[in-house]
Short mmCIF file of all heavy atoms in Angstrom, two decimals:
data_model
loop_
_atom_site.label_atom_id
_atom_site.label_comp_id
_atom_site.label_asym_id
_atom_site.label_seq_id
_atom_site.Cartn_x
_atom_site.Cartn_y
_atom_site.Cartn_z
N GLY A 1 -126.98 -33.32 -95.02
CA GLY A 1 -126.06 -34.10 -95.81
C GLY A 1 -126.78 -35.05 -96.86
O GLY A 1 -126.08 -35.83 -97.42
N VAL A 2 -128.06 -34.88 -97.01
CA VAL A 2 -128.74 -35.69 -97.97
C VAL A 2 -128.41 -35.13 -99.41
O VAL A 2 -128.39 -33.88 -99.62
CB VAL A 2 -130.28 -35.63 -97.78
CG1 VAL A 2 -131.05 -36.36 -98.91
CG2 VAL A 2 -130.64 -36.21 -96.40
N GLN A 3 -128.09 -36.05 -100.33
CA GLN A 3 -127.72 -35.66 -101.71
C GLN A 3 -128.95 -35.61 -102.56
O GLN A 3 -129.92 -36.36 -102.35
CB GLN A 3 -126.74 -36.64 -102.27
CG GLN A 3 -125.56 -36.99 -101.39
CD GLN A 3 -124.46 -35.95 -101.59
OE1 GLN A 3 -124.06 -35.61 -102.65
NE2 GLN A 3 -123.90 -35.52 -100.39
N PHE A 4 -128.99 -34.74 -103.58
CA PHE A 4 -130.12 -34.66 -104.53
C PHE A 4 -129.69 -35.02 -105.95
O PHE A 4 -128.57 -34.67 -106.37
CB PHE A 4 -130.70 -33.22 -104.55
CG PHE A 4 -131.21 -32.73 -103.19
CD1 PHE A 4 -131.24 -31.36 -103.00
CD2 PHE A 4 -131.65 -33.57 -102.19
CE1 PHE A 4 -131.72 -30.86 -101.77
CE2 PHE A 4 -132.10 -33.13 -101.03
CZ PHE A 4 -132.13 -31.71 -100.81
N ALA A 5 -130.53 -35.73 -106.68
CA ALA A 5 -130.30 -36.05 -108.04
C ALA A 5 -131.66 -35.91 -108.78
O ALA A 5 -132.71 -36.14 -108.13
CB ALA A 5 -129.72 -37.46 -108.25
N PHE A 6 -131.58 -35.60 -110.04
CA PHE A 6 -132.82 -35.34 -110.81
C PHE A 6 -132.80 -36.10 -112.12
O PHE A 6 -131.82 -36.07 -112.85
CB PHE A 6 -132.95 -33.86 -111.13
CG PHE A 6 -133.15 -32.96 -109.89
CD1 PHE A 6 -132.05 -32.56 -109.23
CD2 PHE A 6 -134.38 -32.69 -109.42
CE1 PHE A 6 -132.16 -31.75 -108.06
CE2 PHE A 6 -134.58 -31.97 -108.27
CZ PHE A 6 -133.46 -31.43 -107.60
N ILE A 7 -133.90 -36.85 -112.31
CA ILE A 7 -134.14 -37.47 -113.63
C ILE A 7 -135.35 -36.78 -114.25
O ILE A 7 -136.04 -35.99 -113.58
CB ILE A 7 -134.36 -39.02 -113.56
CG1 ILE A 7 -135.59 -39.37 -112.66
CG2 ILE A 7 -133.14 -39.66 -112.91
CD1 ILE A 7 -136.91 -39.46 -113.39
N THR A 8 -135.68 -37.10 -115.54
CA THR A 8 -136.85 -36.58 -116.16
C THR A 8 -137.67 -37.69 -116.70
O THR A 8 -137.10 -38.57 -117.47
CB THR A 8 -136.48 -35.60 -117.27
OG1 THR A 8 -135.75 -34.54 -116.74
CG2 THR A 8 -137.81 -35.03 -117.96
N LEU A 9 -138.94 -37.83 -116.33
CA LEU A 9 -139.81 -38.75 -117.01
C LEU A 9 -141.16 -38.08 -117.13
O LEU A 9 -141.73 -37.63 -116.19
CB LEU A 9 -140.04 -40.05 -116.17
CG LEU A 9 -140.84 -41.13 -116.87
CD1 LEU A 9 -140.34 -42.55 -116.65
CD2 LEU A 9 -142.39 -41.04 -116.53
N HIS A 10 -141.59 -37.87 -118.37
CA HIS A 10 -142.81 -37.10 -118.65
C HIS A 10 -144.04 -38.06 -118.50
O HIS A 10 -144.18 -39.00 -119.24
CB HIS A 10 -142.79 -36.55 -120.09
CG HIS A 10 -141.75 -35.48 -120.24
ND1 HIS A 10 -141.53 -34.54 -119.29
CD2 HIS A 10 -140.91 -35.19 -121.28
CE1 HIS A 10 -140.55 -33.69 -119.70
NE2 HIS A 10 -140.17 -34.11 -120.89
N VAL A 11 -144.82 -37.78 -117.54
CA VAL A 11 -145.93 -38.64 -117.16
C VAL A 11 -147.03 -38.55 -118.28
O VAL A 11 -147.38 -37.50 -118.69
CB VAL A 11 -146.58 -38.19 -115.85
CG1 VAL A 11 -147.67 -39.21 -115.38
CG2 VAL A 11 -145.54 -38.08 -114.75
N GLY A 12 -147.46 -39.75 -118.71
CA GLY A 12 -148.26 -39.76 -119.90
C GLY A 12 -149.62 -40.47 -119.70
O GLY A 12 -150.26 -40.45 -118.65
N LEU A 13 -150.05 -41.11 -120.74
CA LEU A 13 -151.42 -41.65 -120.87
C LEU A 13 -151.81 -42.61 -119.76
O LEU A 13 -152.98 -42.64 -119.22
CB LEU A 13 -151.64 -42.33 -122.23
CG LEU A 13 -152.92 -43.04 -122.52
CD1 LEU A 13 -154.11 -41.98 -122.54
CD2 LEU A 13 -152.86 -43.72 -123.84
N ASP A 14 -150.90 -43.50 -119.34
CA ASP A 14 -151.28 -44.56 -118.46
C ASP A 14 -151.68 -44.08 -117.08
O ASP A 14 -152.30 -44.77 -116.28
CB ASP A 14 -150.17 -45.57 -118.33
CG ASP A 14 -150.34 -46.77 -119.30
OD1 ASP A 14 -151.45 -46.85 -119.85
OD2 ASP A 14 -149.43 -47.52 -119.50
N THR A 15 -151.35 -42.81 -116.69
CA THR A 15 -151.87 -42.22 -115.50
C THR A 15 -153.41 -42.23 -115.49
O THR A 15 -153.98 -42.37 -114.41
CB THR A 15 -151.34 -40.86 -115.33
OG1 THR A 15 -149.92 -40.79 -115.19
CG2 THR A 15 -151.95 -40.10 -114.15
N PHE A 16 -153.99 -42.19 -116.62
CA PHE A 16 -155.45 -42.04 -116.71
C PHE A 16 -156.12 -43.44 -117.04
O PHE A 16 -157.38 -43.48 -117.11
CB PHE A 16 -155.83 -41.01 -117.80
CG PHE A 16 -155.28 -39.63 -117.46
CD1 PHE A 16 -154.14 -39.23 -118.04
CD2 PHE A 16 -155.98 -38.82 -116.62
CE1 PHE A 16 -153.68 -37.96 -117.81
CE2 PHE A 16 -155.51 -37.55 -116.39
CZ PHE A 16 -154.37 -37.14 -116.98
N LEU A 17 -155.38 -44.48 -117.27
CA LEU A 17 -156.00 -45.73 -117.70
C LEU A 17 -155.85 -46.77 -116.60
O LEU A 17 -154.78 -47.10 -116.17
CB LEU A 17 -155.28 -46.18 -118.97
CG LEU A 17 -155.53 -45.37 -120.27
CD1 LEU A 17 -154.68 -45.97 -121.40
CD2 LEU A 17 -156.97 -45.27 -120.57
N PRO A 18 -157.02 -47.41 -116.21
CA PRO A 18 -156.92 -48.50 -115.33
C PRO A 18 -156.52 -49.75 -116.04
O PRO A 18 -156.53 -49.83 -117.26
CB PRO A 18 -158.32 -48.66 -114.81
CG PRO A 18 -159.20 -48.12 -115.96
CD PRO A 18 -158.40 -47.04 -116.60
N VAL A 19 -156.05 -50.72 -115.26
CA VAL A 19 -155.74 -52.05 -115.83
C VAL A 19 -157.05 -52.76 -116.08
O VAL A 19 -157.77 -53.11 -115.15
CB VAL A 19 -154.76 -52.79 -114.90
CG1 VAL A 19 -154.50 -54.20 -115.53
CG2 VAL A 19 -153.50 -52.09 -114.70
N ARG A 20 -157.34 -53.11 -117.33
CA ARG A 20 -158.70 -53.73 -117.70
C ARG A 20 -158.51 -55.19 -117.98
O ARG A 20 -159.54 -55.91 -118.07
CB ARG A 20 -159.22 -53.01 -118.89
CG ARG A 20 -159.52 -51.52 -118.63
CD ARG A 20 -160.31 -50.89 -119.76
NE ARG A 20 -160.48 -49.47 -119.59
CZ ARG A 20 -161.34 -48.89 -118.78
NH1 ARG A 20 -162.21 -49.64 -118.10
NH2 ARG A 20 -161.46 -47.58 -118.68
N VAL A 21 -157.32 -55.71 -118.11
CA VAL A 21 -157.15 -57.13 -118.42
C VAL A 21 -157.03 -57.90 -117.07
O VAL A 21 -156.61 -57.37 -116.02
CB VAL A 21 -155.94 -57.37 -119.30
CG1 VAL A 21 -156.09 -56.83 -120.60
CG2 VAL A 21 -154.65 -56.80 -118.65
N GLU A 22 -157.46 -59.18 -117.11
CA GLU A 22 -157.37 -60.00 -115.88
C GLU A 22 -155.92 -60.26 -115.48
O GLU A 22 -155.64 -60.30 -114.22
CB GLU A 22 -158.12 -61.32 -116.12
CG GLU A 22 -159.60 -61.15 -116.21
CD GLU A 22 -160.26 -62.55 -116.29
OE1 GLU A 22 -159.59 -63.58 -116.07
OE2 GLU A 22 -161.46 -62.62 -116.60
N ASP A 23 -155.02 -60.43 -116.39
CA ASP A 23 -153.65 -60.65 -116.12
C ASP A 23 -152.88 -59.39 -116.30
O ASP A 23 -152.75 -58.94 -117.51
CB ASP A 23 -153.07 -61.81 -117.06
CG ASP A 23 -151.61 -62.14 -116.72
OD1 ASP A 23 -150.93 -61.46 -116.01
OD2 ASP A 23 -151.17 -63.21 -117.25
N PRO A 24 -152.35 -58.73 -115.28
CA PRO A 24 -151.70 -57.43 -115.47
C PRO A 24 -150.45 -57.55 -116.37
O PRO A 24 -150.06 -56.51 -116.92
CB PRO A 24 -151.32 -57.09 -114.00
CG PRO A 24 -151.35 -58.33 -113.26
CD PRO A 24 -152.35 -59.19 -113.83
N ARG A 25 -149.90 -58.75 -116.55
CA ARG A 25 -148.75 -58.84 -117.45
C ARG A 25 -149.18 -58.60 -118.89
O ARG A 25 -148.24 -58.33 -119.72
CB ARG A 25 -148.12 -60.21 -117.30
CG ARG A 25 -147.44 -60.39 -115.97
CD ARG A 25 -147.15 -61.92 -115.66
NE ARG A 25 -148.30 -62.63 -115.44
CZ ARG A 25 -148.37 -63.91 -114.87
NH1 ARG A 25 -147.24 -64.48 -114.51
NH2 ARG A 25 -149.53 -64.52 -114.74
N GLN A 26 -150.46 -58.61 -119.18
CA GLN A 26 -150.89 -58.36 -120.52
C GLN A 26 -151.31 -56.90 -120.72
O GLN A 26 -151.82 -56.58 -121.80
CB GLN A 26 -152.11 -59.27 -120.87
CG GLN A 26 -151.77 -60.77 -120.68
CD GLN A 26 -150.65 -61.21 -121.54
OE1 GLN A 26 -150.57 -60.82 -122.71
NE2 GLN A 26 -149.75 -61.97 -120.98
N HIS A 27 -151.16 -56.06 -119.71
CA HIS A 27 -151.53 -54.64 -119.79
C HIS A 27 -150.60 -53.90 -120.76
O HIS A 27 -149.43 -53.99 -120.56
CB HIS A 27 -151.48 -54.06 -118.45
CG HIS A 27 -151.85 -52.57 -118.40
ND1 HIS A 27 -153.05 -52.04 -118.76
CD2 HIS A 27 -150.93 -51.47 -118.12
CE1 HIS A 27 -152.96 -50.73 -118.60
NE2 HIS A 27 -151.76 -50.34 -118.32
N PRO A 28 -151.12 -53.23 -121.75
CA PRO A 28 -150.29 -52.52 -122.70
C PRO A 28 -149.86 -51.12 -122.11
O PRO A 28 -150.68 -50.21 -122.02
CB PRO A 28 -151.17 -52.34 -123.86
CG PRO A 28 -152.53 -52.27 -123.35
CD PRO A 28 -152.58 -53.16 -122.13
N MET A 29 -148.65 -51.00 -121.69
CA MET A 29 -148.14 -49.75 -121.12
C MET A 29 -147.79 -48.81 -122.26
O MET A 29 -147.22 -49.19 -123.28
CB MET A 29 -146.84 -50.01 -120.33
CG MET A 29 -147.06 -50.67 -118.97
SD MET A 29 -147.82 -49.56 -117.72
CE MET A 29 -146.43 -48.45 -117.35
N HIS A 30 -148.26 -47.56 -122.08
CA HIS A 30 -147.97 -46.49 -123.08
C HIS A 30 -146.53 -46.05 -122.76
O HIS A 30 -146.08 -45.86 -121.64
CB HIS A 30 -148.93 -45.35 -122.86
CG HIS A 30 -148.96 -44.33 -123.97
ND1 HIS A 30 -149.45 -44.59 -125.19
CD2 HIS A 30 -148.48 -43.08 -123.98
CE1 HIS A 30 -149.27 -43.51 -125.98
NE2 HIS A 30 -148.74 -42.61 -125.29
N SER A 31 -145.78 -45.80 -123.87
CA SER A 31 -144.34 -45.30 -123.73
C SER A 31 -144.37 -43.90 -123.17
O SER A 31 -145.19 -42.95 -123.58
CB SER A 31 -143.67 -45.38 -125.06
OG SER A 31 -143.54 -46.69 -125.46
N GLU A 32 -143.40 -43.61 -122.32
CA GLU A 32 -143.20 -42.25 -121.77
C GLU A 32 -141.70 -41.87 -122.02
O GLU A 32 -140.80 -42.69 -121.86
CB GLU A 32 -143.53 -42.18 -120.31
CG GLU A 32 -144.99 -42.47 -119.98
CD GLU A 32 -145.34 -42.70 -118.59
OE1 GLU A 32 -144.57 -43.50 -117.91
OE2 GLU A 32 -146.32 -42.10 -118.05
N TYR A 33 -141.45 -40.61 -122.27
CA TYR A 33 -140.09 -40.17 -122.52
C TYR A 33 -139.35 -39.98 -121.22
O TYR A 33 -139.89 -39.44 -120.24
CB TYR A 33 -140.09 -38.82 -123.24
CG TYR A 33 -138.72 -38.36 -123.63
CD1 TYR A 33 -138.00 -38.87 -124.65
CD2 TYR A 33 -138.10 -37.34 -122.84
CE1 TYR A 33 -136.76 -38.53 -124.99
CE2 TYR A 33 -136.75 -37.00 -123.15
CZ TYR A 33 -136.14 -37.54 -124.20
OH TYR A 33 -134.83 -37.16 -124.54
N CYS A 34 -138.09 -40.44 -121.23
CA CYS A 34 -137.30 -40.48 -119.99
C CYS A 34 -135.85 -40.09 -120.23
O CYS A 34 -135.32 -40.42 -121.33
CB CYS A 34 -137.39 -41.92 -119.47
SG CYS A 34 -136.29 -42.35 -118.11
N GLU A 35 -135.27 -39.41 -119.29
CA GLU A 35 -133.82 -39.11 -119.34
C GLU A 35 -133.17 -39.33 -118.00
O GLU A 35 -133.63 -38.82 -116.97
CB GLU A 35 -133.59 -37.58 -119.74
CG GLU A 35 -133.89 -37.25 -121.18
CD GLU A 35 -133.42 -35.83 -121.57
OE1 GLU A 35 -132.72 -35.25 -120.75
OE2 GLU A 35 -133.85 -35.37 -122.65
#
């Protein structure tokens, strides 16, 4: 009885980039397409 739902988010550049700034709030996230 578990329900399934599907979204789409294309995984992009930030998968390969570590956070290099001391304050993570300043980390520039790369945009990814999402539906």
Side-chain angles (χ1 to χ4, degrees):
V2 175
Q3 310 276 314
F4 300 155
F6 296 87
I7 61 90
T8 301
L9 187 143
H10 293 320
V11 185
L13 176 64
D14 267 345
T15 294
F16 300 96
L17 292 180
V19 177
R20 300 188 184 281
V21 293
E22 290 185 11
D23 184 346
R25 290 167 292 195
Q26 304 302 315
H27 175 69
M29 286 289 285
H30 192 73
S31 294
E32 296 168 313
Y33 184 77
C34 170
E35 287 188 13

